[in-house]
């Protein structure tokens, strides 16, 4: 008895066999009324095995936030993997055995180490290298891959969305048109795209226009970020391009997470994303109807600024629940990479980066951004001793923050520099101390930390734009999303070696402003310690931007 099959609208009859039926179960659905197997797309492996035409065949299917690919090679699976370093709690015995492995007398070393560990109540941890693979074999035998990674595998997939041709506004810059065209094509292909645009490239402007285009196509667009200011900025640009108010909504990730998961993002934040999530948590209220539309709406799109935070569990959960998993996803960031090596997770959940990638040097070379000069200044010796490990770094930061000669140098640089000036540090107490010293020196200065919320923060930034504030001492929260074109000088008082923060921090300076011909960033070179090592790593990152000039100041 032949098996009736309707594939891509073509009716076929194939000789019955158990193998054929088992193959059909992998991708087709059985219609009991028509007594036929039906599928919208034909897998290429099925077409090859049963002698069917291969035109229009596919290698997988979409379901919510994933691509289900019928087969992957070992090399293709490895493309979805990355190495990550984790710290694991261990017993005193395990810790001392690893620590003393290269000692002259390992047994004696282990004995002394173990005694101290027990007596002093250590909580030892060891560093463990793990491989994380985002592709997973399912019980049906195919491979589940996060939807955003599909372009990396180059497989033939059904079109994810039918958006129609985009319309390009005449006010868009040439590179913005190119980026938008690439992102639009990738949204059609797999429903996810990350846009890399440095500060000053018009990232929010382009996102607002994209939101309007998607709203015209019937999508309900959610503009989101970890900072409410950034989400509202995206919404403002969307309104300027005529996006209807009932189809475009600005809402923070923290607000959505709290409503969807029933927990605070500030409590659940982790790793390098925790500081910003906690500082900007719970700034907004939304009604239940809007949350239901976000989670259950049929045509939903999410545009997220600062998308390098997507791998955070809180952000990833919000993105995954949008539109029941079917939402279009667009990530915006100047730095589509991370310090914890989880770059692939950005691409997995927000989409791979589309071309062209707009860097700060790209903008400077074309006259869209202000040239940057990074001046390295010798700092006075402040450390009484240098120690290793996390405790050593914490002690060093404390000494540097309290070092009066070093802090006086920072104030002197601010007094000599073109204003307004932004001074950034990794410690709240240091920002408050420097803010007071700047005011004592006669500058109109304010302090911005995570404790300075919403409206107060906006008032300080507006005062700087209007010339009523000459300097801001801020924690490294100011590294991201700060839109202050008048800034002419940056002083890095204390910072680590974060790739994203290093590049975004200097990126605050490059926005054009009347009379601003050059932006200057000061880096302090300490004689020893972690701070010196971190500076040299940051200098290596600056070298990735050819238009940023590094000089040694006298």
């Amino acid at each position: 008895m032949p098996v009736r099959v309707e594939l891509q609208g073509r009716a076929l009859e194939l000789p019955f066999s158990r193998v054929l039926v088992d193959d059909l179960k992998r991708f087709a659905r059985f219609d009991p009324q028509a007594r036929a197997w039906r599928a919208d797309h034909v897998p290429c492996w099925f077409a090859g095995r049963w002698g069917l035409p291969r035109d229009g065949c596919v290698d997988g299917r979409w379901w919510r936030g994933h691509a289900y690919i019928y087969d992957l090679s070992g090399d293709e699976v490895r493309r979805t993997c990355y190495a990550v370093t984790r710290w694991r709690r261990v017993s005193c015995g395990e810790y001392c055995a690893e620590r003393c492995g290269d000692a002259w007398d390992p047994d004696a070393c282990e004995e002394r180490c173990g005694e101290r560990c027990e007596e002093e109540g250590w909580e030892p941890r060891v560093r463990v290298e793990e491989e994380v693979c985002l592709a997973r074999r399912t019980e049906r035998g195919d491979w589940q891959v996060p939807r955003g990674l599909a372009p990396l595998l180059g497989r033939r997939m059904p079109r994810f969305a039918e958006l129609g041709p985009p319309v390009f506004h005449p006010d868009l810059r040439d590179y913005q048109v190119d980026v938008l065209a690439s992102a639009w094509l990738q949204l059609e292909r797999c429903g996810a795209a990350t846009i890399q645009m440095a500060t000053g490239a018009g990232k929010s402007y382009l996102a607002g226009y994209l939101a309007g285009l998607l709203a015209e196509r019937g999508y309900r667009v959610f503009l989101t970020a970890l900072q409410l200011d950034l989400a509202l900025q995206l919404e403002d640009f969307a309104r300027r391009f005529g996006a209807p108010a009932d189809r475009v909504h600005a809402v923070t990730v923290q607000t959505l997470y709290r409503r969807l998961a029933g927990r605070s993002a500030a409590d659940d934040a982790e790793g390098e994303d925790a500081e910003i999530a906690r500082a900007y948590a719970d700034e907004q209220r939304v009604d239940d109807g809007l949350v239901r539309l976000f989670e259950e709406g049929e045509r939903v799109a999410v545009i997220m600024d600062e998308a390098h935070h997507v791998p955070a569990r809180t952000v990833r959960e919000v993105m995954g629940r949008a539109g029941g998993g079917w939402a279009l996803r667009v990530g915006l960031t100047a730095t589509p990479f991370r310090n914890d090596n989880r770059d692939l997770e950005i691409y997995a959940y927000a989409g791979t980066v589309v071309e062209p990638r707009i860097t700060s040097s790209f903008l400077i070379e074309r006259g869209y951004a202000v040239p940057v000069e990074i001046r390295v200044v010798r700092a006075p010796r402040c450390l009484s001793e240098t120690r290793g490990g996390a405790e050593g770094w914490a002690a060093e930061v404390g000494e540097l923050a309290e070092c009066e000669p070093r802090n006086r140098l920072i104030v002197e640089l601010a007094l000599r520099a073109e204003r307004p000036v932004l001074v950034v540090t990794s410690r709240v107490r240091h920002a408050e101390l420097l803010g007071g010293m700047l005011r004592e020196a006669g500058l109109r200065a304010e302090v911005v930390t995570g404790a300075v919320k919403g409206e107060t923060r906006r008032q300080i930034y507006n005062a700087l734009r209007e010339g009523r504030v000459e300097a801001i001492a801020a924690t490294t929260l100011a590294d991201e999303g700060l839109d202050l074109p008048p800034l002419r000088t940056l002083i890095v008082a204390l910072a680590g070696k974060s790739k994203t923060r290093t590049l975004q921090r200097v990126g605050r300076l490059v926005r054009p402003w009347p009379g601003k011909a050059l932006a200057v960033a000061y880096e302090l070179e300490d004689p020893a310690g972690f701070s010196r090592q971190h500076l040299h790593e940051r200098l290596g990152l600056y070298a990735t931007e050819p238009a940023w000039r590094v000089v040694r100041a006298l």
Side-chain angles (χ1 to χ4, degrees):
M1 181 177 66
V3 177
R4 295 183 61 195
V5 181
E6 294 181 14
L7 303 176
Q8 293 179 309
R10 293 182 294 190
L12 304 169
E13 288 190 352
L14 299 174
F16 173 82
S17 74
R18 177 54 57 189
V19 174
L20 172 63
V21 173
D22 288 343
D23 283 352
L24 287 167
K25 286 179 180 178
R26 290 187 62 185
F27 69 94
R29 60 191 180 278
F30 184 72
D31 183 340
Q33 292 183 335
R35 300 191 62 80
W37 292 88
R38 288 178 171 164
D40 296 328
H41 301 280
V42 181
C44 295
W45 63 265
F46 183 87
R49 177 177 293 181
W50 297 100
L52 302 180
R54 295 175 63 90
D55 54 303
C57 71
V58 297
D59 293 319
R61 58 191 172 86
W62 305 112
W63 183 253
R64 300 186 187 275
H66 291 89
Y68 287 83
I69 299 175
Y70 299 118
D71 194 21
L72 289 179
S73 68
D75 287 341
E76 287 173 324
V77 172
R78 281 189 288 275
R79 287 184 213 167
T80 75
C81 302
Y82 62 92
V84 64
T85 301
R86 304 190 192 280
W87 291 93
R88 180 170 61 86
R89 284 288 301 274
V90 295
S91 66
C92 287
E94 288 179 274
Y95 173 73
C96 292
E98 180 169 320
R99 179 175 179 178
C100 297
D102 296 327
W104 179 259
D105 187 345
D107 292 339
C109 175
E110 280 188 47
E111 184 177 349
R112 289 192 300 272
C113 173
E115 288 176 357
R116 287 192 61 192
C117 182
E118 297 289 351
E119 290 173 2
E120 298 176 15
W122 294 357
E123 295 182 353
R125 291 173 170 81
V126 296
R127 190 162 65 179
V128 180
E129 297 286 341
E130 295 180 4
E131 184 179 60
V132 177
C133 291
L134 301 178
R136 185 180 67 85
R137 195 80 181 253
T138 71
E139 293 180 356
R140 297 176 59 171
D142 52 7
W143 289 87
Q144 181 193 69
V145 180
R147 177 162 31 106
L149 292 182
L152 288 181
L153 302 174
R155 292 306 194 93
R156 289 167 291 193
M157 297 290 292
R159 188 173 290 245
F160 186 86
E162 296 289 346
L163 301 177
V167 177
F168 300 111
H169 196 279
D171 290 344
L172 293 177
R173 296 172 181 170
D174 53 354
Y175 65 83
Q176 291 172 335
V177 170
D178 294 339
V179 170
L180 179 58
S182 295
W184 194 263
L185 181 61
Q186 189 155 302
L187 286 175
E188 288 193 313
R189 286 177 173 171
C190 69
T194 294
I195 294 171
Q196 178 183 357
M197 297 181 80
T199 303
K203 175 162 50 81
S204 300
Y205 181 85
L206 183 65
Y209 184 65
L210 176 58
L213 287 181
L214 292 172
E216 288 177 3
R217 301 316 197 265
Y219 281 85
R220 190 172 293 276
V221 185
F222 289 83
L223 302 163
T224 188
L226 291 174
Q227 300 180 38
L228 179 58
D229 296 351
L230 296 182
L232 292 174
Q233 181 174 283
L234 298 180
E235 185 182 48
D236 178 58
F237 279 115
R239 296 276 186 272
R240 293 189 204 178
F241 284 116
D246 63 339
R247 302 207 68 83
V248 176
H249 314 278
V251 58
T252 63
V253 169
Q254 294 93 319
T255 300
L256 288 167
Y257 183 78
R258 185 176 68 251
R259 299 298 297 276
L260 294 170
R263 301 186 301 276
S264 168
D267 296 334
D268 289 354
E270 57 192 1
E272 64 186 74
D273 312 286
E275 183 182 8
I276 285 182
R278 289 169 185 154
Y280 293 101
D282 304 335
E283 292 196 21
Q284 196 180 17
R285 293 183 179 181
V286 295
D287 61 56
D288 292 340
L290 188 62
V291 176
R292 281 195 300 273
L293 285 170
F294 177 86
E295 187 174 22
E296 302 171 7
E298 290 187 6
R299 291 174 70 82
V300 172
V302 181
I303 300 177
M304 180 180 173
D305 204 357
E306 306 297 358
H308 48 275
H309 292 297
V310 163
R313 180 163 55 88
T314 51
V315 184
R316 198 170 64 237
E317 181 165 342
V318 167
M319 295 288 275
R321 291 175 69 166
W326 291 101
L328 299 181
R329 304 171 185 171
V330 179
L332 310 169
T333 180
T335 49
F337 40 77
R338 292 174 59 90
N339 304 302
D340 54 13
N341 207 35
R342 293 164 67 191
D343 304 8
L344 266 179
E345 290 192 32
I346 302 174
Y347 316 146
Y349 305 110
T352 54
V353 182
V354 300
E355 300 292 343
R357 304 182 184 214
I358 310 304
T359 64
S360 183
S361 294
F362 176 98
L363 298 171
I364 291 170
E365 289 163 359
R366 287 159 180 79
Y368 291 119
V370 175
V372 175
E373 186 171 276
I374 298 163
R375 298 175 183 173
V376 182
V377 180
R378 289 183 181 177
R381 181 175 293 277
C382 296
L383 302 180
S384 56
E385 62 175 331
T386 57
R387 291 178 286 172
E391 292 182 0
W393 170 235
E396 179 177 323
V397 168
E399 280 195 71
L400 293 177
E402 298 293 333
C403 181
E404 185 176 348
R406 193 176 187 276
N407 289 337
R408 282 203 307 270
L409 172 61
I410 293 168
V411 174
E412 290 169 6
L413 290 173
L415 289 171
R416 296 201 305 262
E418 285 197 68
R419 299 167 206 159
V421 177
L422 174 65
V423 181
V424 294
T425 175
S426 57
R427 294 295 182 268
V428 172
R429 174 73 187 97
H430 196 207
E432 294 169 343
L433 176 62
L434 290 172
M437 292 179 69
L438 291 168
R439 284 191 285 266
E440 289 174 5
L443 293 178
R444 299 190 299 275
E446 295 288 348
V447 175
V448 175
T449 68
V452 180
K453 298 295 184 182
E455 185 57 34
T456 303
R457 192 167 59 245
R458 284 190 285 274
Q459 289 174 0
I460 292 173
Y461 294 159
N462 286 335
L464 184 140
R465 293 185 188 100
E466 295 165 4
R468 293 182 285 112
V469 167
E470 296 176 297
I472 292 177
T475 56
T476 46
L477 291 173
D479 293 341
E480 294 185 9
L482 188 63
D483 182 14
L484 292 175
L487 276 179
R488 294 170 186 263
T489 304
L490 168 73
I491 302 174
V492 183
L494 275 176
K497 55 185 179 180
S498 164
K499 292 187 291 186
T500 54
R501 292 193 169 190
T502 294
L503 296 176
Q504 294 216 12
R505 184 184 302 130
V506 176
R508 302 303 108 203
L509 293 171
V510 303
R511 295 184 187 276
W513 190 255
K516 181 177 169 183
L518 177 70
V520 175
Y522 286 99
E523 284 273 17
L524 272 62
E525 184 175 30
D526 291 291
F530 286 107
S531 56
R532 182 181 179 87
Q533 297 172 23
H534 292 171
L535 168 64
H536 290 168
E537 293 192 39
R538 292 198 298 273
L539 293 176
L541 290 170
Y542 296 147
T544 65
E545 288 283 3
W548 291 3
R549 182 167 175 255
V550 179
V551 298
R552 295 273 174 178
L554 298 177

